[in-house]
Amino acid sequence: MQRNKKKKARRHPNSSHLETSVINPVLFAIFAFATCGGYSGGLRLSVDCVNKTDSNLSIDVAFAYPFRLHQVTFEVPTCEGKEREKLALTGDSSSSAEFFVTVAVFAFLYSLAATVVYIFFQNKYRENNRGPLIDFIVTVVFSFLWLVGSSAWAKGLSDVKVATDPKEVLLLMSACKQPSNKCMAVHSPVMSSLNTSVVFGFLNFILWAGNIWFVFKETGWHSSGQRYLSEPMEKHSSSYSQGRYAQDSYGSGGGSGQQASLEPSSDEFGQQPSGPASFANPI
Ligand SMILES: *[C@@H]1O[C@H](CO)[C@@H](O)[C@H](O)[C@H]1NC(C)=O
Ligand SMILES: *[C@@H]1O[C@H](CO)[C@@H](O)[C@H](O)[C@H]1NC(C)=O
């Protein structure tokens, strides 16, 4: 993820580059799992019976991650004497919520580990091109998981919203079927942090999917001529400082070991009848 910034950070350990490079993927993952996994909320209802002594004007229903709503029980008056009935919310969004949080936690751990490897074990990362290869595969897999996890959780959240809507919960109560009893929603659960978690899920997907290209460039699978082409492309997305790999390994002349290990792979891929290679050769 965002190798270029990390590379700069390595050269200037005290600069702010280090912070920005670590923060982007790591912090986005933290936001995603904290806003979902840390959630607890509740709603409040009031049941005002004809016989006031039976009423309960503040019935609280609390729920939290992982949203096994069918296990959330609460007692409400039936408005027939002191009798009460035990009710439960409907639905279970735990599988999508847990899947989402699991993806976020592993994405967090991976981007943290990748950052450490990239900053401190640069040469090992380059060895046999294995680091970039693994990084590429993992980034593709995580992009997919973010998309699936965020979509599933978006659906799970919409179920949670319906099941915890006070108006829906009132329909479960037998007392509220009698028009003479007054049933009211006092307050609805606050869902803003869960909405945020879905937004961050999709932002993470965009972040990781966008990084596929940059990690792909690190694998050396594209032709070595790509470095000429990368310059006009830089204008497209200035948020990523790209062209880094080509500039760093060919331009600076440092790290001769890296260069040696990369030359064979460049040749290997230069043989492919790929567009960029033939395009760049005349230059
Ligand atoms: C009303 O319901 C709440 C639970 O939501 C309960 O703690 C409280 O004791 C009930 N009040 C009465 C008067 O039954
Ligand atoms: C109201 O409830 C009390 C105690 O539960 C009972 O004694 C009374 O008869 C009830 N009143 C009516 C109108 O149902």
Side-chain angles (χ1 to χ4, degrees), residues 106-107 110-111 114 131-146 208 212 215:
F106 279 99
Y110 176 75
S111 39
L133 179 65
I134 294 171
D135 202 12
F136 175 71
I137 293 167
V138 173
T139 303
V140 169
V141 168
F142 267 116
S143 305
F144 177 72
L145 291 178
W146 274 117
W208 284 76
I212 291 176
V215 181

Side-chain angles (χ1 to χ4, degrees), residues 171-203:
L171 297 177
L172 303 171
M173 299 182 191
S174 60
C176 303
K177 289 178 178 114
Q178 308 285 329
S180 49
N181 302 319
K182 278 186 228 127
C183 295
M184 283 195 305
V186 180
H187 70 73
S188 306
V190 179
M191 292 288 183
S192 50
S193 96
L194 296 181
N195 292 334
T196 308
S197 74
V198 171
V199 170
F200 268 98
F202 284 108
L203 283 178

